[in-house]
Amino acid sequence: MTEEKPCKVCNFSRQKSYGIAVRSLEDLKTKGRETLGMDSKVLVSVVLEDDGTIVEDEAYFMCLPPNTKFMILHSKERWGPATRVDGGTAWLGESIDSDEMDSAFTGTESWRGLAQQLKRDLSSIILMSEEELQCLVDVSCEELARELGHKETKVQSLQDALQRVLDQREEERQSREILQLYLQAAEKETSPASTGCSQEDDVTDGMEVDSTKETAGQSSKFCQRTLMVLKGKTSPETRLSNQDLQLVLNEGLQNLSAALSWDTEKAKDLLQACEEELEKRLNKVQALQSLRNCTQETEEEGNTQSKRRKKAPFQP
């Protein structure tokens, strides 16, 4: 009989974490579902909590050391790197007012948490929202350098890079806006009778929330700020943080449609765009982490060979 192996399991938000003992990978899925309060009929996948490596092979699972931490995910969830401070998205898992959320995000010290996040993992830039990036750009170079422990010249280069990321996102958004305007103009030319049908869409610029939206939002986990961004006309998915996007996917099509007061087809397009954006960001993070791991392995191999050459006896 196979001996039980101690493991740790958590959900995608890492808010729940438990220790269990299992005999196999399938046993891990079963006990993981039960421990984390998931439906026993839901199909789940297992990944390593620290880097998102998918665990599907039984032999590989048995080779992992005891007390390895696994993340149990259902079909709509995606792995993401741990971020202790996310510059304003921690309210997603809590029940707080929108005014408290706004003051927390706009606080003068919010950039320090983002700076520590960058210090731990530079690739987290990919997962930052535009507000978070702008927060790091606006802080003085001297203060940011002191927080990161780097020279001001290096930090200035980092801020320039953050500004380029912001500019690139803005250029992508403007390109989409131009394309949408062109498509709308072409549609009006081919369908004159539809010119008066889009007044309601033109009135709202995406940055106001009406009473019907607030009422719908009460039945879901969406907060007012998230609804404001989602209501944006052009590519709202690019303005959301990683956890915002995950929340949209978890809420599903019906809740999203009700919260925004949209028809199912329009909400479906937004949901798909959010899923693609999240997958694109996480793929970039995993690629950077893989590159970093390869670089470290190469450096370690070079150091090992160097030590061997030094220890080798001299032969005349």
Side-chain angles (χ1 to χ4, degrees), residues 99-147:
D99 292 340
E100 294 177 357
M101 178 276 299
D102 291 336
S103 62
F105 181 81
T106 57
T108 56
E109 299 300 316
S110 61
W111 66 268
R112 297 186 185 276
L114 298 174
Q116 290 300 318
Q117 185 176 335
L118 278 183
K119 191 174 182 179
R120 291 192 298 270
D121 186 6
L122 189 60
S123 64
S124 61
I125 292 175
I126 300 171
L127 303 180
M128 288 185 179
S129 66
E130 293 181 5
E131 290 174 321
E132 293 168 339
L133 293 173
Q134 191 64 56
C135 184
L136 290 171
V137 171
D138 292 341
V139 71
S140 70
C141 181
E142 182 181 356
E143 288 183 300
L144 187 57
R146 186 162 52 249
E147 188 70 24

Side-chain angles (χ1 to χ4, degrees), residues 58-120:
E58 182 72 32
Y60 174 72
F61 168 74
M62 298 306 297
C63 292
L64 293 172
N67 290 314
T68 297
K69 192 170 186 178
F70 300 93
M71 183 179 290
I72 309 297
L73 304 171
H74 61 64
S75 58
K76 292 183 179 180
E77 293 176 337
R78 300 289 186 273
W79 174 88
T83 53
R84 294 183 181 178
V85 181
D86 56 12
T89 55
W91 48 269
L92 291 175
E94 303 174 1
S95 174
I96 62 175
D97 295 334
S98 60
D99 292 340
E100 294 177 357
M101 178 276 299
D102 291 336
S103 62
F105 181 81
T106 57
T108 56
E109 299 300 316
S110 61
W111 66 268
R112 297 186 185 276
L114 298 174
Q116 290 300 318
Q117 185 176 335
L118 278 183
K119 191 174 182 179
R120 291 192 298 270

